[in-house]
Amino acid sequence: CICVCVCARARARVYMCLYKVLVAHDLEEGRWVAQFPYYPPHQSAEEMTNLQTCEKMVRDCIGVEDDGSGRGGRVPQDESNLTDDIVVHSADAWCMNALVAESFSDEEGRVFLVGDSAHQFPPSGGFGLNAGIQDAHNLAWKLASVLHNRADEAILKSYTPERKVVTQALRDLSVDNFHRGLLIPEAMGLPPNVPEIISQGLQSQPASLLTDTAKKSLLETALGLGRSLNPMMMMAKGSSSSSSSSSSSS
């Protein structure tokens, strides 16, 4: 997944886009993080984290074209007040995991795992940071008790069983939240597994006979189409809902 830090001063609405997660970090400053999936071997992290590539993906999603000025200006495709400017500050690649360590400490009780070293969750729910703080709290008072001779060292052995069962539950909940989130584009008529199906199809016969450049082009065309069609589908569904609601009122 590509994580893109974007500054966009929105005056109207920002559309939820197919194949992307958009998280608001500061609504007043217009600072957002957009997460796009990419599909090796057809796409590489190096090319997908190129800032110009990321800006184009963001513009495709919200229906705003680059005006060519190089200053983040925009030419709206449909609504004149979607955004004043878009600036991509940074981009990086990361891999979504759902992992919990077998043990949070070594057998001697000299090394302990806390936070991301002990567990990694999908970001759907925001449980990673909270779980890390809870790990630290659980371990800190036990270490303090042992160091100040208020408890036997055996108490440190309770750290793994107490925290592991909780983090396993949070891992499962995060995965479940992720899959439930995919029901949203599906309800809009946008199957979330289409990119993965295309990527796998390009690795099987007869598509595998195509050159790497041709396979990459097909995948990116399909993803670009999904990103650009999504705002129009959202508006179409909004108009349809409106007329349906008026009709039922009358």
Side-chain angles (χ1 to χ4, degrees):
C1 186
I2 304 299
C3 190
V4 185
C5 181
V6 181
C7 185
R9 302 198 178 276
R11 294 188 310 199
R13 60 182 179 271
V14 178
Y15 294 102
M16 185 183 70
C17 175
L18 178 62
Y19 317 139
K20 172 184 71 65
V21 174
L22 187 65
V23 180
H25 277 207
D26 191 318
L27 287 172
E28 289 187 4
E29 290 188 6
R31 189 175 297 271
W32 305 75
V33 171
Q35 299 173 13
F36 295 88
Y38 72 102
Y39 298 89
H42 314 300
Q43 297 172 315
S44 69
E46 290 74 16
E47 62 182 332
M48 295 302 291
T49 51
N50 176 280
L51 298 189
Q52 289 181 335
T53 300
C54 293
E55 182 178 329
K56 182 179 185 307
M57 291 193 294
V58 171
R59 291 181 181 279
D60 285 346
C61 281
I62 62 176
V64 179
E65 297 174 351
D66 191 350
D67 65 359
S69 67
R71 298 189 301 273
R74 51 96 177 115
V75 178
Q77 294 173 359
D78 32 55
E79 291 191 53
S80 60
N81 60 348
L82 266 175
T83 179
D84 290 330
D85 56 357
I86 295 174
V87 179
V88 177
H89 293 281
S90 61
D92 203 357
W94 65 284
C95 180
M96 186 169 71
N97 290 319
L99 305 171
V100 174
E102 289 187 11
S103 176
F104 287 16
S105 70
D106 65 339
E107 292 184 2
E108 289 75 27
R110 307 296 295 173
V111 178
F112 297 89
L113 303 180
V114 173
D116 286 353
S117 64
H119 42 75
Q120 296 177 16
F121 309 143
S124 40
F127 298 117
L129 176 60
N130 290 315
I133 293 172
Q134 292 162 4
D135 293 342
H137 177 269
N138 184 291
L139 182 60
W141 75 263
K142 292 173 181 175
L143 284 172
S145 297
V146 171
L147 292 173
H148 290 88
N149 298 315
R150 292 195 296 265
D152 188 82
E153 284 191 18
I155 196 175
L156 298 176
K157 294 187 179 298
S158 66
Y159 174 59
T160 290
E162 288 181 2
R163 292 305 303 151
K164 187 174 179 180
V165 66
V166 173
T167 52
Q168 285 175 328
L170 292 176
R171 173 201 60 195
D172 296 343
L173 181 55
S174 298
V175 171
D176 183 58
N177 281 345
F178 174 76
H179 288 295
R180 289 172 62 194
L182 297 179
L183 296 175
I184 299 173
E186 189 171 347
M188 294 161 48
L190 302 168
N193 60 339
V194 168
E196 188 65 36
I197 292 172
I198 295 172
S199 179
Q200 291 174 357
L202 291 173
Q203 298 179 63
S204 58
Q205 295 285 356
S208 60
L209 301 175
L210 297 172
T211 64
D212 290 344
T213 303
K215 287 188 278 190
K216 176 184 169 185
S217 177
L218 284 170
L219 177 63
E220 291 181 349
T221 298
L223 292 175
L225 182 62
R227 287 192 287 262
S228 60
L229 283 178
N230 191 64
M232 292 187 284
M233 293 187 73
M234 285 285 287
M235 285 188 293
K237 284 186 175 289
S239 302
S240 166
S241 292
S242 246
S243 45
S244 155
S245 146
S246 273
S247 150
S248 60
S249 300
S250 62

